[in-house]
Amino acid sequence: MDGRPPKRKLSDSGHGSSTRTSERSYSGDENDSVKVLQNRHNASSNGNGGTICTVSAGDGRYVIAERGRRLGRNIQDMGINTRQTMAHVKDRKTGTSGSPLKLVTNLFGLGLSSQWLLYQYHVDFNPAIASMRLKAALLYSHGEILGTARAFDGAMLFLSRKLDDKVTELTSTTKNGEVIKITVTLTATQPAGSPVSIQFFNVLFKRLMLWPGFSISVTNLESQLTLSADVSHKVLRSETVLDFMNELYSRIPVERFTDACEKEILGMVVLTRYNNKTYRVDDINWSTKPTDKFPKKDGTEISYVDYYKQQYNLELTDLFQPMLVSALKVKKKDVCDVPRAVHLLPELCYITGLSSRALTDFRLMKDLSMETQLNPERRQQRLQRLAENIEENRGASSELGKWGLRLQQQLSVTGRLVPPEKICMRDNICQPMSAADWSRETRNARVISASSLSNWLLLFTHRNGDIVEQLIYSLKKVGDGMGFNIEYPKTVQVEDSSISYLRALQQHVTRDVQLVFCILPFNSKDNYDCIKKFLTVELPVPSQCVQSRTLSKQHMLMSVANKITMQMICKIGGELWSVEIPLKSLMVIGIDVNKDALNKSHSVVGFVASTNSRLTKWFSQCIIQKTSTDFADCLKVCMRGAIERWQKCNNELPGRIIIYRDGVGDGQLQMVLDYEIPQILSYFTETRTAYSPKMTVVVVRKRCTVRFFSESNRGLQNPPLGTIVDSEATRPEWYDFFLISQNARQGSVNPTHYNVLFDTNCLKPDHLQRLTYKMCHLYYNWPGVIRVPAPCQYAHKLTFLVGQSIHREPSLELSHTLFYL
């Protein structure tokens, strides 16, 4: 382990011109990469870079730094063509319902001709050469043969034109007089839309991006190759990890310091400004100090103090600080590969993100949002400035021109605005004024179903005794309006500690208790975790935890009681509202996978499935896998539980199943196709030979680079709720669409991307899109439309509770309720 950052594999060489000859000598002068670095420096000094803004708070200063030159990471997904397997959308995947809507995007055309080709060559050196810089210099000395549009990564050479022969022999001489034979062999010809070409274009733009503050990605869409660009920020704290450790040491007992440090710091993402890299802290090595030595590549040893002085001219002030340990990702699966890690100095590591104190600072959060949450007009201005900078920069425009690329105007697309949904209550159907929030329209309406709450327990501390009676009165009053009868609870006063709460639960909770309500005196994770773990694993009873400060504002108590009452109804198996679902015998499933915060080698799989025709009752199961991957290997078990629950509730089996898979990262689509979908299908073939329901699997992605803006008399605005885009900005090889189903009160709305990987339901695109939008109305924690279908959000809430607080699988006795809301 050492303090050096991992090195990049691709060389930055090869962006300028060189002279031609079949036999060239290399004198050791600087190569083309120096010119590119010089251009990058000039662009930054001329003020073309991104902004860095500093805001102050009570616990320190925060820097809003714009990210730079971020490369699209979904290259592995490019070669997956799922649309060709679905005959019903092979010719047409677009819907027709709704009114057309003109939209502006953050996509720029790249102006490539349809005949454009990328020529891929393999390069061999004889005798072999280890130095990447020397390889590039020797190869590029034959510029008259290779041309000026070329890129080389040490083994593979990409050219914009084809060489005369399939195998080209070149000879070069080093400055030491050694003759090197270079063999250039044509291996493939790639069209512009191929995965290899897309990856090449992404690397090319990464090297040319002289302006930090933007994330970019090149993608082949329906009709052309496009560049997606968006403003990107990262919030940095001016506080180092060592500052944080010193502050922690000053306010807690010495014997608890080590445990407290590990609890607070492990999992943090830190920035080392000397190399502008981020690392995740996986461990703290208390036995290693800055004066200790580590081996260098040449076999010599050097201390951390001397290394940082020689390498970065940094002086360390604390020679007794421990070392942070960050595990490095192994990029190549090779037998010789062993897990690697780096040692980092807390003094040189800056904490990223916001502290809990900062999150409660209204003024600070407002200042941050002004800089990071840009409205469509400001975002558009930044994008136009980027396009102008690329066009006006001679080096960038020249390099793009060599490859036949030219940044064009932003693309406009035509979306569709689908009609708003009606909200069905027990006695009436209402048409909300706004899909963003229908709490006002349903305030005095009775919910669909709610069991009477007659046997429940309320725990509180002595300092919260004055609000108990008023809370109970407010809950009963709100419940009466919803058609939810709440009897007076059994109240128990406890001491202010997690042990006191646990003892009270052990003494007073029995299996016939319907719900346990706990008023927590302050934001104590220990108290919360203790309560939730006991009431979801050891003695499964639905529970409701509320902080006392939430109840302290008298003028807001009825509003708070309204939200709490809705959660209580759901936790004991009730239903709040529904929307019209035309499909019969339909089961909708949401799947999400998250990491366990306590054990990083474990993953938490959340599986939530509807159990009635209104899609208002749910079966929930959570399984902890002993693997750190995002793959779900327990889907057969979860599907069995969901089918059995459906059959018990409906006396039949579902005829249609639609699965929304959330939590799929870039490059993992193939995993879902090859690993997860076969698990589900095998359950039907192995256990129910006569049962084969129609099934659709949709991957849900909240993080997508594409944005849409609607034009109005007041300029650019966020598109209205219910906007669907299923052409022009989508991918030709996928059955995919974008849906805007959340309201952005400030900043720019981010659409959700849906990609259908498997489909035997053969629903029309209109029907699947409308159903997806309907499902965004059924999340009972918010009386409005949310960003993803309700079962996805339920699965996320379930995995978050288990991964952050419980760390064990919840009892299946709670599986028929939304106990995790």
Side-chain angles (χ1 to χ4, degrees):
M1 291 185 285
D2 59 59
R4 294 165 291 183
K7 293 184 178 180
R8 287 170 47 186
K9 291 190 176 181
L10 286 177
S11 168
D12 279 336
S13 308
H15 292 281
S17 59
S18 55
T19 56
R20 175 208 182 235
T21 180
S22 59
E23 182 175 355
R24 285 294 180 189
S25 149
Y26 173 57
S27 62
D29 295 334
E30 61 184 14
N31 66 3
D32 297 333
S33 64
V34 178
K35 300 176 183 177
V36 176
L37 294 174
Q38 184 64 39
N39 287 337
R40 185 174 299 169
H41 171 75
N42 291 340
S44 178
S45 63
N46 288 334
N48 291 329
T51 62
I52 295 181
C53 173
T54 304
V55 294
S56 298
D59 61 342
R61 304 176 72 203
Y62 293 82
V63 178
I64 309 168
E66 294 188 344
R67 296 173 182 261
R69 305 187 304 278
R70 183 177 163 193
L71 178 64
R73 295 171 294 177
N74 59 346
I75 303 302
Q76 301 95 319
D77 294 335
M78 296 291 180
I80 299 174
N81 190 333
T82 53
R83 186 177 172 186
Q84 65 180 356
T85 64
M86 307 175 199
H88 60 292
V89 292
K90 214 169 189 179
D91 299 325
R92 181 184 176 88
K93 66 173 184 178
T94 58
T96 57
S97 66
S99 54
L101 185 66
K102 275 291 183 182
L103 301 170
V104 177
T105 73
N106 63 336
L107 302 171
F108 298 83
L110 293 178
L112 274 187
S113 66
S114 57
Q115 291 79 29
W116 189 92
L117 294 172
L118 178 69
Y119 298 95
Q120 182 178 346
Y121 291 85
H122 182 75
V123 183
D124 285 314
F125 294 84
N126 188 17
I129 299 175
S131 170
M132 169 63 200
R133 183 179 290 267
L134 180 57
K135 283 183 179 180
L138 295 174
L139 181 64
Y140 289 157
S141 65
H142 302 277
E144 293 184 7
I145 297 176
L146 303 179
T148 57
R150 69 275 175 100
F152 179 59
D153 69 355
M156 201 65 64
L157 173 68
F158 295 98
L159 301 176
S160 64
R161 64 182 180 86
K162 188 176 182 181
L163 300 181
D164 294 337
D165 301 314
K166 182 176 181 180
V167 179
T168 303
E169 301 285 351
L170 306 173
T171 303
S172 295
T173 305
T174 68
K175 63 179 181 180
N176 297 327
E178 184 179 13
V179 177
I180 305 296
K181 181 181 178 181
I182 305 173
T183 304
V184 181
T185 306
L186 179 66
T187 58
T189 303
Q190 305 286 351
S194 70
V196 172
S197 295
I198 298 296
Q199 183 173 15
F200 168 76
F201 289 134
N202 274 290
V203 173
L204 176 64
F205 270 96
K206 178 185 176 183
R207 294 176 178 176
L208 292 179
M209 277 299 290
L210 316 179
W211 305 273
F214 295 92
S215 60
I216 60 169
S217 178
V218 177
T219 308
N220 187 42
L221 299 183
E222 296 290 345
S223 58
Q224 61 179 310
L225 197 71
T226 63
L227 174 72
S228 171
D230 198 13
V231 181
S232 183
H233 301 87
K234 189 173 186 66
V235 178
L236 310 177
R237 287 157 67 174
S238 56
E239 178 186 24
T240 66
V241 176
L242 184 60
D243 295 334
F244 179 82
M245 296 173 76
N246 287 332
E247 192 273 335
L248 189 64
Y249 185 82
S250 66
R251 60 182 172 87
I252 66 169
V254 175
E255 61 272 13
R256 291 176 48 200
F257 174 69
T258 301
D259 292 337
C261 260
E262 293 180 349
K263 184 177 180 180
E264 294 287 342
I265 295 175
L266 296 189
M268 272 188 180
V269 176
V270 298
L271 172 75
T272 50
R273 292 186 179 175
Y274 52 82
N275 61 357
N276 198 32
K277 289 183 178 292
T278 56
Y279 300 88
R280 182 187 180 92
V281 180
D282 298 302
D283 197 5
I284 301 178
N285 189 333
W286 299 96
S287 61
T288 303
K289 300 294 184 288
T291 51
D292 293 342
K293 294 183 178 181
F294 65 90
K296 297 171 66 176
K297 285 186 177 180
D298 59 5
T300 61
E301 291 191 339
I302 187 172
S303 68
Y304 291 95
V305 176
D306 294 338
Y307 173 78
Y308 281 99
K309 177 62 178 177
Q310 294 177 15
Q311 192 76 9
Y312 302 106
N313 196 28
L314 294 172
E315 297 276 0
L316 301 182
T317 60
D318 188 342
L319 301 183
F320 297 96
Q321 59 185 300
M323 305 295 284
L324 308 179
V325 181
S326 177
L328 299 180
K329 293 181 179 179
V330 179
K331 295 184 177 180
K332 285 187 176 181
K333 301 297 181 182
D334 190 79
V335 179
C336 299
D337 283 333
V338 294
R340 296 191 302 135
V342 290
H343 272 155
L344 305 169
L345 288 159
E347 183 178 347
L348 303 178
C349 294
Y350 289 84
I351 303 172
T352 62
L354 297 170
S355 66
S356 57
R357 183 176 176 183
L359 290 172
T360 59
D361 188 327
F362 174 78
R363 182 172 296 180
L364 171 65
M365 297 306 294
K366 183 178 180 181
D367 291 341
L368 284 173
S369 66
M370 290 293 293
E371 292 298 325
T372 60
Q373 299 180 16
L374 303 179
N375 61 31
E377 281 288 348
R378 292 182 63 195
R379 193 173 296 271
Q380 173 70 354
Q381 291 170 5
R382 298 276 184 94
L383 293 176
Q384 289 178 342
R385 191 186 312 163
L386 171 67
E388 292 169 359
N389 288 338
I390 293 177
E391 186 177 349
E392 294 172 1
N393 184 276
R394 184 176 302 175
S397 58
S398 173
E399 186 66 23
L400 291 177
K402 292 177 184 178
W403 296 97
L405 299 168
R406 180 174 57 86
L407 201 64
Q408 298 177 326
Q409 295 294 321
Q410 285 176 256
L411 301 183
S412 295
V413 300
T414 301
R416 291 178 292 111
L417 182 61
V418 298
E421 293 293 329
K422 296 177 182 179
I423 305 302
C424 305
M425 306 299 292
R426 187 192 304 182
D427 304 319
N428 63 308
I429 298 176
C430 64
Q431 183 74 63
M433 296 293 293
S434 169
D437 184 357
W438 53 75
S439 57
R440 178 175 300 179
E441 287 84 356
T442 59
R443 182 166 298 168
N444 298 316
R446 296 200 299 172
V447 300
I448 293 176
S449 70
S451 302
S452 178
L453 185 61
S454 57
N455 185 6
W456 60 298
L457 178 69
L458 192 151
L459 304 183
F460 63 96
T461 61
H462 67 280
R463 70 176 65 183
N464 303 134
D466 57 332
I467 63 175
V468 170
E469 290 297 328
Q470 196 166 2
L471 171 64
I472 295 173
Y473 170 79
S474 300
L475 292 175
K476 287 172 66 68
K477 185 175 181 180
V478 169
D480 289 342
M482 294 182 181
F484 177 41
N485 179 50
I486 302 177
E487 301 290 340
Y488 198 89
K490 177 182 179 180
T491 59
V492 177
Q493 182 172 312
V494 300
E495 296 297 323
D496 186 7
S497 69
S498 57
I499 295 178
S500 297
Y501 276 100
L502 181 58
R503 286 175 179 170
L505 294 174
Q506 292 171 336
Q507 182 179 354
H508 297 284
V509 177
T510 58
R511 292 194 175 272
D512 59 346
V513 171
Q514 294 173 274
L515 183 131
V516 177
F517 195 113
C518 298
I519 301 177
L520 305 180
F522 51 86
N523 186 14
S524 172
K525 190 175 187 300
D526 291 337
N527 284 352
Y528 180 84
D529 293 355
C530 176
I531 294 169
K532 289 296 183 180
K533 185 176 294 185
F534 180 79
L535 293 176
T536 56
V537 178
E538 299 180 31
L539 186 57
V541 173
S543 59
Q544 182 77 35
C545 294
V546 182
Q547 292 184 43
S548 58
R549 68 177 183 180
T550 306
L551 308 172
S552 61
K553 299 178 181 179
Q554 298 297 319
H555 65 285
M556 297 182 61
L557 186 56
M558 292 301 294
S559 176
V560 171
N562 187 76
K563 295 178 181 178
I564 293 174
T565 302
M566 289 196 297
Q567 289 185 325
M568 292 167 63
I569 292 172
C570 298
K571 290 182 178 182
I572 62 173
E575 307 163 79
L576 299 183
W577 62 77
S578 66
V579 294
E580 297 175 349
I581 305 294
L583 293 176
K584 305 302 179 184
S585 189
L586 170 66
M587 172 189 280
V588 179
I589 297 173
I591 302 173
D592 196 9
V593 181
N594 279 312
K595 295 289 190 299
D596 189 303
L598 201 62
N599 192 336
K600 302 300 181 183
S601 64
H602 288 180
S603 293
V604 183
V605 180
F607 185 100
V608 178
S610 62
T611 59
N612 66 340
S613 59
R614 285 196 298 250
L615 307 183
T616 55
K617 284 183 171 290
W618 304 91
F619 165 85
S620 306
Q621 186 170 1
C622 192
I623 293 182
I624 298 178
Q625 301 178 164
K626 294 182 179 180
T627 172
S628 59
T629 66
D630 292 332
F631 308 162
D633 58 11
C634 56
L635 297 183
K636 189 185 297 185
V637 174
C638 295
M639 182 60 74
R640 179 185 299 112
I643 294 294
E644 290 174 354
R645 181 68 186 178
W646 172 281
Q647 189 174 26
K648 183 178 180 180
C649 295
N650 301 276
N651 296 318
E652 64 175 1
L653 296 171
R656 297 179 185 270
I657 297 176
I658 296 180
I659 301 173
Y660 292 98
R661 173 62 162 96
D662 202 354
V664 177
D666 292 335
Q668 295 183 334
L669 290 184
Q670 196 66 53
M671 171 272 298
V672 178
L673 282 168
D674 295 343
Y675 188 64
E676 294 190 349
I677 295 177
Q679 286 182 63
I680 300 171
L681 295 176
S682 67
Y683 164 72
F684 301 117
T685 58
E686 293 174 8
T687 62
R688 298 182 183 275
T689 55
Y691 175 53
S692 180
K694 298 176 181 179
M695 191 174 78
T696 302
V697 179
V698 186
V699 167
V700 182
R701 276 186 176 159
K702 300 180 289 292
R703 293 182 181 180
C704 55
T705 59
V706 181
R707 289 184 183 265
F708 304 101
F709 315 116
S710 61
E711 296 180 288
S712 67
N713 296 332
R714 293 179 292 176
L716 291 185
Q717 293 183 328
N718 286 317
L721 287 168
T723 297
I724 293 175
V725 178
D726 56 6
S727 64
E728 300 173 270
T730 56
R731 299 268 287 274
E733 72 275 19
W734 291 353
Y735 175 18
D736 60 336
F737 62 93
F738 294 92
L739 171 63
I740 294 175
S741 59
Q742 81 276 18
N743 186 44
R745 296 182 178 178
Q746 60 183 13
S748 304
V749 71
N750 201 349
T752 304
H753 188 211
Y754 296 89
N755 185 6
V756 184
L757 295 189
F758 181 89
D759 188 16
T760 56
N761 271 297
C762 298
L763 297 176
K764 293 181 180 179
D766 265 325
H767 295 166
L768 182 59
Q769 294 165 6
R770 290 293 301 275
L771 176 65
T772 301
Y773 187 48
K774 287 175 182 289
M775 296 309 304
C776 296
H777 292 69
L778 295 177
Y779 180 59
Y780 285 159
N781 238 4
W782 171 246
V785 183
I786 63 170
R787 190 174 179 182
V788 296
C792 286
Q793 189 63 19
Y794 287 140
H796 172 72
K797 288 285 288 185
L798 177 58
T799 58
F800 185 84
L801 174 65
V802 173
Q804 295 292 324
S805 299
I806 302 175
H807 312 293
R808 291 171 63 184
E809 295 179 5
S811 170
L812 285 177
E813 293 183 38
L814 297 174
S815 63
H816 63 287
T817 68
L818 298 174
F819 66 93
Y820 40 84
L821 285 189

